[in-house]
Amino acid sequence: MSAIRGARERARIEVTAAIKDEARKQLAAEGAAKLSLRAVARELGMVSSALYRYFPSRDELLTALIVEAYDSVGEAAEKARRTVARDGSAPAAHLARWVAVACAVRGWALARPHEYALIYGSPVPGYTAPQATIAPASRVGLVLIAVVEDAHREVGLALPPLAEELRPEAERLAAELAPGLPPAVAVPIVAAWSQLFGLVSFEIFGQFNRVVEARDSFFRHAVEELGRTVGLLGTAARGTLGAAGAANTESAAVRAQR
């Protein structure tokens, strides 16, 4: 019985994967708004009633695709953070890891533009994302926060004074998203997160056409500047600071906000 059950489970996994693969083809050809379970079933040689045993509705299939896309780009970002050589005594190393994460997100989007459009493009009419999408959607943001937390702990951050009118929002964001960081960095992190995807979206959806030609160097420069807005110390803008110097820079900025 266990062998039969195992064969059935493997068959279900294979059919589920085939359904999602065909759905992705439809996303590329027609867009998410026109995704149809009947069309997917027809292309796979299945009757619609059989497909409904795997995905009872279009929205459930969309949710599965959305979660997988978020997890995939999140994995790319996490791998980039792990892969870049780490030297806690070198402030520029943290900026390099930030840039690597951003470039991994862009690389994923360029390789899978239709999946990127599914999660960061226009909302799908009639679809409301369920709670299950929230954690996967947060993965890239959490990686960016982790890079800044590493820098904060190992070399310090160079933070500008926090505007008083933003203090309540900064404290709320820090408590909810990054309790290990000073409130002054919470606002620029959220801004940088959104600007990263703004840069990627402009490229994926064609807004940079006939505007930006040197895409790689333009993107790298832009995300380096975003890294500096969150306090990451790099040789290009501030010169190389040792851990003590970076810590002193940050502590002075943080004291100014108290």
Side-chain angles (χ1 to χ4, degrees):
M1 291 296 292
S2 61
I4 294 174
R5 189 182 308 114
R8 287 174 178 170
E9 289 174 353
R10 287 193 297 273
R12 183 174 183 85
I13 290 170
E14 290 173 2
V15 173
T16 299
I19 291 170
K20 289 189 286 190
D21 286 344
E22 179 57 36
R24 291 189 188 96
K25 292 178 184 177
Q26 287 198 17
L27 290 178
E30 303 287 344
K34 294 185 178 180
L35 181 64
S36 163
L37 289 184
R38 289 183 181 276
V40 171
R42 182 172 59 250
E43 291 299 321
L44 292 175
M46 299 172 64
V47 296
S48 299
S49 58
L51 190 146
Y52 289 135
R53 290 200 293 270
Y54 295 85
F55 296 99
S57 69
R58 180 209 68 160
D59 284 5
E60 291 202 24
L61 177 54
L62 270 175
T63 296
L65 297 175
I66 287 168
V67 167
E68 285 198 359
Y70 277 132
D71 278 336
S72 182
V73 67
E75 287 170 8
E78 291 161 1
K79 181 179 179 180
R81 176 178 172 243
R82 292 193 304 267
T83 301
V84 174
R86 204 167 154 186
D87 180 356
S89 65
H94 297 284
L95 183 58
R97 295 172 74 216
W98 171 277
V99 171
V101 168
C103 288
V105 170
R106 175 179 177 252
W108 182 92
L110 290 172
R112 305 167 81 162
H114 303 295
E115 290 180 67
Y116 182 88
L118 176 63
I119 54 178
Y120 291 110
S122 299
V124 180
Y127 175 78
T128 300
Q131 190 83 10
T133 62
I134 293 176
S138 302
R139 288 178 69 169
V140 171
L142 292 175
V143 175
L144 295 174
I145 290 170
V147 171
V148 179
E149 286 177 335
D150 289 342
H152 174 58
R153 181 175 60 254
E154 295 171 4
V155 299
L157 302 173
L159 297 172
L162 176 64
E164 282 303 316
E165 63 268 24
L166 282 176
R167 183 176 298 278
E169 181 67 2
E171 291 175 348
R172 182 189 67 80
L173 287 171
E176 292 183 6
L177 301 177
L181 291 171
V185 77
V187 170
I189 279 183
V190 174
W193 183 5
S194 64
Q195 289 171 65
L196 166 60
F197 283 102
L199 286 165
V200 174
S201 293
F202 261 51
E203 184 169 6
I204 295 297
F205 300 134
Q207 281 89 349
F208 281 156
N209 292 350
R210 293 188 290 183
V211 178
V212 178
E213 295 182 356
R215 302 281 177 85
D216 292 348
S217 56
F218 178 88
F219 181 83
R220 186 177 185 86
H221 174 77
V223 296
E224 282 179 351
E225 291 304 309
L226 291 180
R228 293 185 180 99
T229 68
V230 302
L232 298 180
L233 301 160
T235 57
R238 294 181 173 87
T240 303
L241 295 180
N248 290 338
T249 300
E250 180 207 18
S251 62
V254 172
R255 282 198 301 272
Q257 297 157 26
R258 290 176 179 166

